[in-house]
Amino acid sequence: MKKQIKVAIDGPAGAGKSTIAKAVAKRLGIFYVDTGAMYRAIALKSLRSNIPIDQEEEVGQMVQKTEIILEHSEARRVFCDGEEVTEAIRSPEVSRAVSKIAAYPVVRDRLVQLQRQEAERGAVIMDGRDIGTIVLPEADLKIFLTASPEERAHRRWLELCNSGREVSLIEVQQDMEKRDRQDSEREVSPLVPANDALILDTTGLSIQEIVEQIIALTLVFKEG
Ligand code: CDP
């Protein structure tokens, strides 16, 4: 495999991006960067510091002064201004707020800059919404993961239940539909597959099957 391979994984909520990207990263021994965690950390900070999420300028000023660290260890802890927020950024409240702040150009400019810095560390697999189009347009392999809305909502609902959160399936489905619409319809870096992305529909497929498909695709990029 090429030494500095860059793999971009994009797609809507609940398509399985992070689970698959983590598994591929482990198998290939490369970095995994969860760009959604960065947007989530900014949304959480806005909520906690009472910055109204519709105040673009205030959110923009805050983002310039915020330090986000994504640990590369197995635990993949997320820190915001020195405080661990790994669990807190997954709450339904953050999920509801995040797409609003992710549409602000000032937030995207700052986070894309951090994401590109992460990618310079070496071989990497990065997941998000605009990795193949904006963050790493030169990525060696671009995958756009999708699944039926029902399956995506069901997967996310199970994840939330397993982490001890009480939410109804219908609520998860409605929140997700709204977020996907916001992400796809925004003016800056909307959620769209890159022209050269491979579209993988994961409906009915196991994680293992998709991971194997992606690993097989990376083998094309021979060393040198
Ligand atoms: O895990 P899930 O797919 O639900 O979401 P995520 O990857 O944690 O991303 C949360 C939100 O951050 C998305 O709904 C987008 O609004 C935003 N995001 C983005 O705009 N661009 C990215 N590269 C990653 C996330």
Side-chain angles (χ1 to χ4, degrees):
M1 192 182 65
K2 188 176 152 187
K3 226 191 242 154
Q4 299 284 309
I5 191 170
K6 310 280 184 220
V7 183
I9 310 269
D10 290 300
K17 300 182 297 294
S18 62
T19 312
I20 288 159
K22 267 183 230 168
V24 172
K26 195 168 175 182
R27 280 271 296 276
L28 299 180
I30 65 179
F31 287 128
Y32 162 55
V33 179
D34 173 2
T35 64
M38 295 182 175
Y39 290 93
R40 285 174 177 275
I42 296 299
L44 177 70
K45 187 171 171 185
S46 299
L47 295 174
R48 284 187 173 172
S49 45
N50 293 320
I51 298 174
I53 56 162
D54 57 357
Q55 295 299 310
E56 183 169 357
E57 211 178 306
E58 276 187 69
V59 174
Q61 281 165 7
M62 175 268 277
V63 81
Q64 308 296 343
K65 293 181 262 167
T66 304
E67 184 199 52
I68 299 171
I69 294 177
L70 304 183
E71 252 187 21
H72 289 286
S73 66
E74 189 85 0
R76 306 201 179 280
R77 292 186 302 168
V78 181
F79 292 85
C80 184
D81 296 331
E83 186 190 344
E84 186 180 353
V85 294
T86 320
E87 286 297 318
I89 59 170
R90 306 286 160 200
S91 74
E93 293 72 30
V94 170
S95 296
R96 262 174 233 133
V98 64
S99 290
K100 180 91 189 166
I101 64 108
Y104 297 148
V106 59
V107 172
R108 303 206 70 82
D109 287 351
R110 173 79 187 120
L111 296 188
V112 167
Q113 190 192 351
L114 291 178
Q115 291 154 14
R116 290 191 179 139
Q117 277 169 18
E118 287 283 322
E120 278 167 17
R121 294 160 63 112
V124 74
I125 181 163
M126 196 176 270
D127 77 347
R129 301 292 186 286
D130 59 341
I131 311 305
T133 50
I134 305 287
V135 183
L136 301 176
E138 307 300 327
D140 301 289
L141 178 61
K142 299 179 185 178
I143 308 281
F144 192 89
L145 280 183
T146 65
S148 70
E150 295 74 24
E151 185 153 333
R152 294 191 288 107
H154 193 255
R155 286 177 189 166
R156 182 52 49 89
W157 175 72
L158 277 181
E159 257 173 41
L160 288 165
C161 293
N162 288 337
S163 67
R165 292 198 164 93
E166 273 186 38
V167 277
S168 71
L169 178 57
I170 187 77
E171 196 183 347
V172 172
Q173 189 159 358
Q174 284 168 353
D175 283 354
M176 214 175 221
E177 276 169 14
K178 186 170 176 208
R179 187 149 63 94
D180 285 344
R181 214 172 28 247
Q182 283 177 305
D183 289 343
S184 308
E185 290 174 0
R186 69 182 174 219
E187 275 174 36
V188 242
S189 314
L191 167 67
V192 281
N195 290 335
D196 48 351
L198 202 81
I199 300 187
L200 275 183
D201 187 335
T202 68
T203 312
L205 293 182
S206 71
I207 298 294
Q208 202 48 41
E209 284 171 298
I210 307 156
V211 169
E212 292 307 330
Q213 280 192 35
I214 297 178
I215 299 276
L217 288 165
T218 64
L219 295 178
V220 173
F221 301 96
K222 296 266 184 270
E223 184 112 24

